[in-house]
Amino acid sequence: MSYLRNGGYVEARLAFWTLIRTYPGDKAEPLAYWAIGLSLYKEGGEENLTMALDQFVNWLIFFPGEKDLEDLAEAAQINVAVIALEMMNSAPSEKEIITAAKISAQALIQNAT
């Protein structure tokens, strides 16, 4: 987490992936996956935003409804919406705007069910 706080986004992702691979199924695994999405978002750039959006959507799919993860789930939903809005605002074409909106809506609907 210190890498993430200090702007070492690539180092943070490497550390989180190491944790996930070294300790599969550990209680810190959901946080590590979530933090990977956050590191991509904070690093910015079109490609990283796309990967961050995908990371948060997948997080909502793979860690649904776990009682101790409610705060992270809420934050993931917010991040999906914020990233989709950022992508829509910077999208050069209407088709890309619609695609980003659909991804965001699908993630939010899927997590609500």
Side-chain angles (χ1 to χ4, degrees), residues 10-77:
V10 173
E11 294 87 353
R13 286 192 293 276
L14 290 172
F16 292 128
W17 279 118
T18 300
L19 179 117
I20 291 165
R21 288 188 183 113
T22 305
Y23 305 102
D26 188 85
K27 67 180 182 176
E29 186 176 32
L31 176 59
Y33 277 111
W34 189 91
I36 289 169
L38 184 61
S39 73
L40 289 162
Y41 174 66
K42 285 186 165 222
E43 188 172 1
E46 185 178 334
E47 187 175 328
N48 284 340
L49 284 180
T50 301
M51 289 189 299
L53 180 63
D54 188 53
Q55 186 73 18
F56 287 121
V57 168
N58 285 334
W59 192 94
L60 290 166
I61 292 168
F62 290 109
F63 300 104
E66 295 188 33
K67 194 77 166 155
D68 56 338
L69 300 177
E70 289 174 347
D71 290 342
L72 286 180
E74 186 176 307
Q77 289 175 339

Side-chain angles (χ1 to χ4, degrees), residues 1 98-99:
M1 292 302 284
I98 292 168
T99 301

